[in-house]
mmCIF file of all heavy atoms in Angstrom:
data_model
loop_
_atom_site.group_PDB
_atom_site.id
_atom_site.type_symbol
_atom_site.label_atom_id
_atom_site.label_comp_id
_atom_site.label_asym_id
_atom_site.label_seq_id
_atom_site.Cartn_x
_atom_site.Cartn_y
_atom_site.Cartn_z
ATOM 1 N N CYS A 23 12.163 4.184 9.437
ATOM 2 C CA CYS A 23 12.006 4.425 8.009
ATOM 3 C C CYS A 23 12.916 5.572 7.620
ATOM 4 O O CYS A 23 12.889 6.632 8.262
ATOM 5 C CB CYS A 23 10.553 4.763 7.689
ATOM 6 S SG CYS A 23 10.239 5.240 5.964
ATOM 7 N N SER A 24 13.721 5.392 6.600
ATOM 8 C CA SER A 24 14.537 6.484 6.082
ATOM 9 C C SER A 24 14.282 6.625 4.584
ATOM 10 O O SER A 24 13.996 5.630 3.906
ATOM 11 C CB SER A 24 16.019 6.240 6.366
ATOM 12 O OG SER A 24 16.450 5.038 5.748
ATOM 13 N N TYR A 25 14.374 7.836 4.098
ATOM 14 C CA TYR A 25 14.058 8.081 2.700
ATOM 15 C C TYR A 25 15.073 9.047 2.117
ATOM 16 O O TYR A 25 15.743 9.791 2.846
ATOM 17 C CB TYR A 25 12.627 8.616 2.546
ATOM 18 C CG TYR A 25 12.332 9.817 3.405
ATOM 19 C CD1 TYR A 25 12.515 11.103 2.924
ATOM 20 C CD2 TYR A 25 11.868 9.669 4.710
ATOM 21 C CE1 TYR A 25 12.250 12.211 3.701
ATOM 22 C CE2 TYR A 25 11.597 10.765 5.499
ATOM 23 C CZ TYR A 25 11.793 12.033 4.998
ATOM 24 O OH TYR A 25 11.539 13.129 5.778
ATOM 25 N N SER A 26 15.206 9.022 0.820
ATOM 26 C CA SER A 26 16.264 9.798 0.174
ATOM 27 C C SER A 26 15.724 10.847 -0.784
ATOM 28 O O SER A 26 16.501 11.502 -1.472
ATOM 29 C CB SER A 26 17.212 8.865 -0.580
ATOM 30 O OG SER A 26 16.499 8.109 -1.550
ATOM 31 N N VAL A 27 14.407 11.002 -0.833
ATOM 32 C CA VAL A 27 13.804 11.965 -1.762
ATOM 33 C C VAL A 27 13.082 13.044 -0.972
ATOM 34 O O VAL A 27 12.783 12.863 0.213
ATOM 35 C CB VAL A 27 12.809 11.261 -2.713
ATOM 36 C CG1 VAL A 27 13.544 10.278 -3.609
ATOM 37 C CG2 VAL A 27 11.699 10.552 -1.940
ATOM 38 N N GLY A 28 12.829 14.165 -1.638
ATOM 39 C CA GLY A 28 12.021 15.189 -1.001
ATOM 40 C C GLY A 28 10.581 14.723 -0.908
ATOM 41 O O GLY A 28 10.084 14.076 -1.819
ATOM 42 N N ILE A 29 9.927 15.040 0.193
ATOM 43 C CA ILE A 29 8.575 14.542 0.386
ATOM 44 C C ILE A 29 7.641 15.660 0.812
ATOM 45 O O ILE A 29 8.070 16.694 1.338
ATOM 46 C CB ILE A 29 8.512 13.404 1.429
ATOM 47 C CG1 ILE A 29 8.805 13.940 2.836
ATOM 48 C CG2 ILE A 29 9.483 12.281 1.059
ATOM 49 C CD1 ILE A 29 8.510 12.933 3.941
ATOM 50 N N SER A 30 6.364 15.416 0.582
ATOM 51 C CA SER A 30 5.341 16.309 1.127
ATOM 52 C C SER A 30 4.725 15.696 2.381
ATOM 53 O O SER A 30 4.231 16.420 3.242
ATOM 54 C CB SER A 30 4.250 16.596 0.097
ATOM 55 O OG SER A 30 3.608 15.395 -0.277
ATOM 56 N N ALA A 31 4.762 14.379 2.466
ATOM 57 C CA ALA A 31 4.225 13.690 3.647
ATOM 58 C C ALA A 31 4.751 12.268 3.682
ATOM 59 O O ALA A 31 5.166 11.712 2.660
ATOM 60 C CB ALA A 31 2.696 13.677 3.631
ATOM 61 N N LEU A 32 4.734 11.716 4.882
ATOM 62 C CA LEU A 32 5.126 10.321 5.071
ATOM 63 C C LEU A 32 3.939 9.576 5.667
ATOM 64 O O LEU A 32 3.216 10.117 6.512
ATOM 65 C CB LEU A 32 6.344 10.237 5.994
ATOM 66 C CG LEU A 32 6.931 8.851 6.204
ATOM 67 C CD1 LEU A 32 8.457 8.900 6.225
ATOM 68 C CD2 LEU A 32 6.394 8.199 7.468
ATOM 69 N N HIS A 33 3.758 8.356 5.217
ATOM 70 C CA HIS A 33 2.613 7.562 5.638
ATOM 71 C C HIS A 33 3.094 6.263 6.274
ATOM 72 O O HIS A 33 4.056 5.659 5.811
ATOM 73 C CB HIS A 33 1.736 7.218 4.432
ATOM 74 C CG HIS A 33 1.284 8.401 3.646
ATOM 75 N ND1 HIS A 33 0.001 8.915 3.743
ATOM 76 C CD2 HIS A 33 1.945 9.191 2.755
ATOM 77 C CE1 HIS A 33 -0.108 9.959 2.926
ATOM 78 N NE2 HIS A 33 1.059 10.150 2.323
ATOM 79 N N TRP A 34 2.416 5.869 7.323
ATOM 80 C CA TRP A 34 2.614 4.538 7.891
ATOM 81 C C TRP A 34 1.345 3.728 7.666
ATOM 82 O O TRP A 34 0.238 4.199 7.940
ATOM 83 C CB TRP A 34 2.914 4.619 9.382
ATOM 84 C CG TRP A 34 4.319 5.013 9.699
ATOM 85 C CD1 TRP A 34 4.777 6.235 10.105
ATOM 86 C CD2 TRP A 34 5.469 4.153 9.656
ATOM 87 N NE1 TRP A 34 6.134 6.187 10.291
ATOM 88 C CE2 TRP A 34 6.590 4.929 10.039
ATOM 89 C CE3 TRP A 34 5.679 2.803 9.334
ATOM 90 C CZ2 TRP A 34 7.880 4.407 10.097
ATOM 91 C CZ3 TRP A 34 6.955 2.288 9.395
ATOM 92 C CH2 TRP A 34 8.035 3.087 9.777
ATOM 93 N N LEU A 35 1.537 2.507 7.184
ATOM 94 C CA LEU A 35 0.419 1.621 6.922
ATOM 95 C C LEU A 35 0.644 0.303 7.653
ATOM 96 O O LEU A 35 1.777 -0.078 7.950
ATOM 97 C CB LEU A 35 0.261 1.345 5.420
ATOM 98 C CG LEU A 35 0.087 2.556 4.493
ATOM 99 C CD1 LEU A 35 1.420 3.010 3.925
ATOM 100 C CD2 LEU A 35 -0.854 2.208 3.351
ATOM 101 N N GLN A 36 -0.453 -0.372 7.923
ATOM 102 C CA GLN A 36 -0.392 -1.664 8.585
ATOM 103 C C GLN A 36 -1.063 -2.706 7.684
ATOM 104 O O GLN A 36 -2.194 -2.480 7.228
ATOM 105 C CB GLN A 36 -1.127 -1.596 9.929
ATOM 106 C CG GLN A 36 -1.147 -2.888 10.718
ATOM 107 C CD GLN A 36 -2.110 -2.807 11.898
ATOM 108 O OE1 GLN A 36 -3.284 -2.501 11.729
ATOM 109 N NE2 GLN A 36 -1.612 -3.073 13.090
ATOM 110 N N GLN A 37 -0.358 -3.798 7.456
ATOM 111 C CA GLN A 37 -0.944 -4.891 6.674
ATOM 112 C C GLN A 37 -1.158 -6.076 7.600
ATOM 113 O O GLN A 37 -0.204 -6.661 8.103
ATOM 114 C CB GLN A 37 -0.069 -5.284 5.494
ATOM 115 C CG GLN A 37 -0.710 -6.351 4.612
ATOM 116 C CD GLN A 37 0.008 -6.550 3.308
ATOM 117 O OE1 GLN A 37 1.189 -6.241 3.173
ATOM 118 N NE2 GLN A 37 -0.697 -7.072 2.308
ATOM 119 N N HIS A 38 -2.415 -6.419 7.794
ATOM 120 C CA HIS A 38 -2.770 -7.497 8.696
ATOM 121 C C HIS A 38 -2.358 -8.843 8.118
ATOM 122 O O HIS A 38 -2.204 -8.988 6.906
ATOM 123 C CB HIS A 38 -4.282 -7.477 8.937
ATOM 124 C CG HIS A 38 -4.764 -6.211 9.570
ATOM 125 N ND1 HIS A 38 -4.472 -5.874 10.867
ATOM 126 C CD2 HIS A 38 -5.492 -5.196 9.080
ATOM 127 C CE1 HIS A 38 -5.020 -4.716 11.139
ATOM 128 N NE2 HIS A 38 -5.644 -4.269 10.083
#
Side-chain angles (χ1 to χ4, degrees):
Chain A
C23 175
S24 60
Y25 53 92
S26 58
V27 295
I29 69 169
S30 61
L32 184 140
H33 305 257
W34 282 102
L35 303 94
Q36 180 191 55
Q37 184 169 23
H38 299 291

